[in-house]
Amino acid sequence: MNNKMIMMKFMFMVIFMIPLCLKKNMFWLVQNLMMLMMFMFMNLNVSIYYNTNLSYMFSCDIMSFGLILLSIWICMMMLMASENLLKMKFYVNFFLFNMLFMLLMLYLTFSMMNLFMFYLFFEGSLIPTLLLIVGWGYQPERIQAGMYLLFYTLFASLPLLMGIFYIFNKGNNIMFYFLKFMNFDFYLLYFSMILAFLVKMPMYFVHLWLPKAHVEAPVSGSMILAGIMLKLGGYGLLRILILFEKLSLKLNFIWIIISLVGGFYISLKCFCQVDMKSLIAYSSVCHMGVVIGGIMTLNYWGFMGSYLLMIGHGLCSSGMFCLANINFERLNSRSLYINKGMMNFMPSMSLWWFLLMSSNMAAPPSLNLMGEISLINSLMSWSWLSMIMLMLISFFSAGYSLYLYSYIQHGKYYSGLYSFYTGVSREYLLLLLHWLPLNLMILKVDWVMIWF
């Protein structure tokens, strides 16, 4: 096939999967096709040094490649996790359409070279997420959560649009590849371009929409939110900061300090949570804080580590939301007071809780460990004072992971429990597909650690 069409053909594969949503009983077919697409996408030739598979506006380098793979993978597993919708026949076809639209938006976001098109799909991916939360969420508060999500991200991203127009006006192009030849050292432009991605990450102070959205979202919404939506911010920062090298040296310390202190504060907040999903959501904010710190140091270790931790956290966090949902489907509650003594009921699930929790606190051989080591390297080389916060964050990160595990698995089980079943092969496969890439990709980590 002509090299030009390589990135286009996957886009068309997603588009041509959409008519399947109109037919009945197409749930598992779509899921299988996503898996097939993922394995086909893995076979692309991607160069470490430059953008490959160029077509009209599409291109693919290592950053895009890993994140697109993650998107397809997580969308596939979202369908696996949402079997409950299929059983209840709760708007399954619209759900499938939503998933495919989401995948299309994410695929296009990560493969665009044009800054404006990137912005367009970056914002477009918000719509299916909003529909997921408002349409398939559990509590009546989901409307408020949707509003938080929408207005936090939109408020920050309109300045980004203005900034892109300004750059196009002054530099006459907005291709990612050519940004390195431009230099815009304007405070206002810097803040307007960075802010949207910091809210999306989310940085401490603008993170309030995330725990809300996670708690109200259905399992698929939580998975996509933790798995990919947070990574859009990091991806955008990695791409954009080329423009502001001189100014970044002056101003980036602000973001690093906020993120590190905020990460420490939020890991303390994790000990106060009684809602499983809320705890996992706050732990995401904590991890993303370290990622922001690594990106903002602007050094090589930081870029590599942030990319690795983003991929690792996408798999790990998504898997933990699946586990929380498996418990929720059994007990109809996410409270730590009711989810107790799970070892008595689901001894084999207890192993999966342990595996994913250990990956979450960056135990070897997970990608999270490699990423965190790189990020600690980068932040320590930036300033030795960051050691204090990094120690606290690492310690408490292990702390709240163990807290969540021991609270759920041990103790006397809830006496109001009346019926139970221990877990089906679909759920074990789902967890395996989260855990296996997370811990086997460490063998191929050279492919991520050597970029330029």
Side-chain angles (χ1 to χ4, degrees):
M1 180 176 275
N2 182 0
N3 198 27
K4 253 205 172 136
M5 301 310 277
I6 284 187
M7 297 301 279
M8 293 281 278
K9 71 184 176 191
F10 288 103
M11 182 185 82
F12 274 103
M13 182 166 180
V14 181
I15 290 175
F16 286 136
M17 275 154 75
I18 289 178
L20 291 177
C21 304
L22 305 175
K23 290 174 70 64
K24 279 189 166 39
N25 305 329
M26 284 293 161
F27 198 76
W28 298 120
L29 179 67
V30 170
Q31 189 255 343
N32 282 325
L33 281 174
M34 278 189 186
M35 194 163 199
L36 177 73
M37 176 178 166
M38 190 260 176
F39 284 122
M40 281 161 63
F41 195 81
M42 273 172 82
N43 290 330
L44 283 193
N45 292 321
V46 178
S47 162
I48 292 175
Y49 302 109
Y50 41 80
N51 293 29
T52 44
N53 303 327
L54 294 171
S55 68
Y56 303 96
M57 280 188 183
F58 299 86
S59 84
C60 197
D61 62 351
I62 292 278
M63 260 196 291
S64 322
F65 184 65
L67 287 164
I68 289 174
L69 275 185
L70 185 67
S71 306
I72 305 173
W73 194 236
I74 290 208
C75 281
M76 185 265 294
M77 287 191 293
M78 283 157 73
L79 293 181
M80 282 179 76
S82 305
E83 200 204 24
N84 218 11
L85 294 180
L86 190 62
K87 279 187 195 152
M88 302 292 171
K89 303 223 181 318
F90 190 72
Y91 297 99
V92 184
N93 291 0
F94 184 43
F95 179 74
L96 280 180
F97 171 73
N98 208 13
M99 284 300 86
L100 286 171
F101 185 61
M102 171 94 76
L103 181 57
L104 188 63
M105 286 293 139
L106 290 169
Y107 177 77
L108 291 170
T109 310
F110 289 129
S111 57
M112 275 298 157
M113 277 179 71
N114 187 326
L115 198 47
F116 176 72
M117 296 309 275
F118 165 74
Y119 171 83
L120 188 72
F121 296 122
F122 173 79
E123 288 307 316
S125 61
L126 198 65
I127 299 166
T129 323
L130 195 69
L131 285 176
L132 264 182
I133 292 176
V134 176
W136 284 272
Y138 299 123
Q139 291 103 322
E141 287 92 36
R142 59 181 191 257
I143 310 290
Q144 189 194 2
M147 284 293 110
Y148 264 61
L149 171 75
L150 193 66
F151 280 101
Y152 260 92
T153 33
L154 278 185
F155 173 73
S157 66
L158 276 169
L160 171 64
L161 184 64
M162 296 295 104
I164 292 171
F165 287 163
Y166 180 84
I167 288 170
F168 186 56
N169 188 25
K170 289 290 179 234
N172 286 322
N173 72 18
I174 36 175
M175 283 297 178
F176 277 136
Y177 196 73
F178 298 132
L179 292 186
K180 56 166 160 293
F181 304 126
M182 303 183 199
N183 194 15
F184 289 99
D185 284 325
F186 309 123
Y187 283 85
L188 200 57
L189 185 64
Y190 171 79
F191 282 115
S192 64
M193 297 292 276
I194 299 288
L195 191 65
F197 300 125
L198 289 179
V199 172
K200 201 71 165 174
M201 281 294 280
M203 185 183 67
Y204 186 70
F205 286 136
V206 282
H207 69 284
L208 280 177
W209 60 271
L210 185 81
K212 248 190 179 354
H214 270 310
V215 170
E216 305 302 328
V219 57
S220 45
S222 276
M223 285 170 70
I224 197 77
L225 212 59
I228 319 287
M229 288 299 157
L230 306 183
K231 315 301 171 272
L232 282 171
Y235 174 78
L237 281 178
L238 288 170
R239 292 280 196 217
I240 285 291
L241 279 174
I242 304 173
L243 280 173
F244 306 109
E245 278 167 10
K246 215 164 23 179
L247 205 51
S248 295
L249 295 176
K250 229 187 271 184
L251 294 178
N252 276 359
F253 76 96
I254 306 171
W255 314 122
I256 299 182
I257 291 171
I258 291 178
S259 296
L260 288 181
V261 179
F264 162 59
Y265 183 61
I266 273 188
S267 51
L268 289 182
K269 278 291 284 184
C270 281
F271 288 105
C272 312
Q273 300 299 323
V274 286
D275 183 327
M276 285 194 291
K277 265 192 166 178
S278 185
L279 201 153
I280 303 168
Y282 274 109
S283 86
S284 298
V285 181
C286 179
H287 283 303
M288 286 295 126
V290 188
V291 168
I292 293 177
I295 295 175
M296 290 299 179
T297 54
L298 290 185
N299 57 22
Y300 188 80
W301 276 107
F303 272 41
M304 300 304 99
S306 59
Y307 175 71
L308 263 173
L309 191 57
M310 283 196 296
I311 301 277
H313 173 267
L315 289 163
C316 179
S317 207
S318 173
M320 291 200 305
F321 279 115
C322 288
L323 279 164
N325 181 64
I326 287 170
N327 276 16
F328 177 74
E329 280 177 1
R330 311 281 190 277
L331 286 98
N332 287 316
S333 165
R334 288 188 311 263
S335 165
L336 287 189
Y337 299 127
I338 293 178
N339 284 284
K340 270 182 175 308
M342 283 299 136
M343 250 178 199
N344 302 312
F345 281 119
M346 299 200 273
S348 33
M349 268 307 164
S350 159
L351 168 72
W352 284 109
W353 270 103
F354 170 72
L355 288 175
L356 280 158
M357 281 295 156
S358 63
S359 291
N360 189 44
M361 61 187 181
S366 63
L367 282 181
N368 297 39
L369 177 78
M370 193 70 213
E372 278 192 25
I373 288 177
S374 315
L375 287 170
I376 287 171
N377 249 338
S378 80
L379 282 159
M380 288 291 300
S381 69
W382 179 76
S383 159
W384 64 269
L385 281 170
S386 59
M387 182 179 1
I388 305 161
M389 279 304 157
L390 284 168
M391 283 192 308
L392 291 167
I393 287 176
S394 301
F395 178 72
F396 285 117
S397 175
Y400 62 71
S401 298
L402 287 171
Y403 158 72
L404 181 55
Y405 178 77
S406 56
Y407 247 64
I408 291 173
Q409 299 303 326
H410 298 292
K412 189 172 178 223
Y413 61 84
Y414 173 54
S415 52
L417 215 54
Y418 54 92
S419 74
F420 221 82
Y421 61 105
T422 173
V424 288
S425 55
R426 168 186 62 90
E427 292 167 339
Y428 290 121
L429 176 64
L430 176 65
L431 296 169
L432 182 78
L433 293 181
H434 275 110
W435 183 81
L436 212 60
L438 179 60
N439 286 277
L440 279 187
M441 282 209 302
I442 199 82
L443 300 175
K444 198 60 188 143
V445 85
D446 51 345
W447 187 69
V448 181
M449 291 302 288
I450 310 165
W451 272 6
F452 314 116

